[in-house]
């Protein structure tokens, strides 16, 4: 399951985010979205969980919870139209 993760701290790394989400289940991939020129985080990213169950567990346990001083927004990612 692919998850949208919003309200990330600017200093968050993909490794830290992966470790945080592994508490809910195995993580397949993590990507923090950055600005093209500066490489600075845009404050959101995507976490791909290995299973639907792990993805739902991450939503249930991590949405609204503190991550490095910020309250995460975690939801199922939707495809761009």
């Amino acid at each position: 399951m692919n998850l949208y993760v919003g309200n990330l701290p600017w200093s968050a790394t993909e490794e830290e985010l992966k470790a945080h989400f592994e508490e809910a289940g195995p993580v397949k991939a993590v990507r923090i979205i950055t600005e093209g020129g500066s490489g600075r985080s845009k404050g959101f990213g995507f976490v791909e969980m290995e299973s639907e169950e792990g993805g739902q567990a991450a939503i249930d346990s991590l949405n609204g919870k503190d991550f490095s001083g910020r309250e995460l927004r975690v939801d199922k990612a939707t495809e761009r139209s």
Side-chain angles (χ1 to χ4, degrees):
M1 175 186 282
N2 197 20
L3 303 174
Y4 165 84
V5 184
N7 204 32
L8 288 172
W10 308 121
S11 61
T13 66
E14 291 179 349
E15 292 79 22
E16 292 169 333
L17 194 58
K18 181 179 181 186
H20 193 64
F21 273 75
E22 283 180 333
E23 296 172 12
V27 174
K28 192 184 274 187
V30 175
R31 194 174 94 199
I32 294 176
I33 305 304
T34 57
E35 293 179 2
S38 68
R40 182 174 177 242
S41 169
K42 288 189 172 187
F44 72 95
F46 297 92
V47 174
E48 187 176 354
M49 303 297 286
E50 287 191 8
S51 68
E52 292 288 320
E53 295 80 17
Q56 191 58 53
I59 292 169
D60 294 342
S61 64
L62 300 175
N63 187 43
K65 301 295 189 230
D66 180 77
F67 177 67
S68 299
R70 303 286 302 263
E71 194 174 289
L72 289 182
R73 179 174 166 231
V74 182
D75 204 353
K76 189 172 182 176
T78 57
E79 295 292 324
R80 284 184 171 180
S81 53

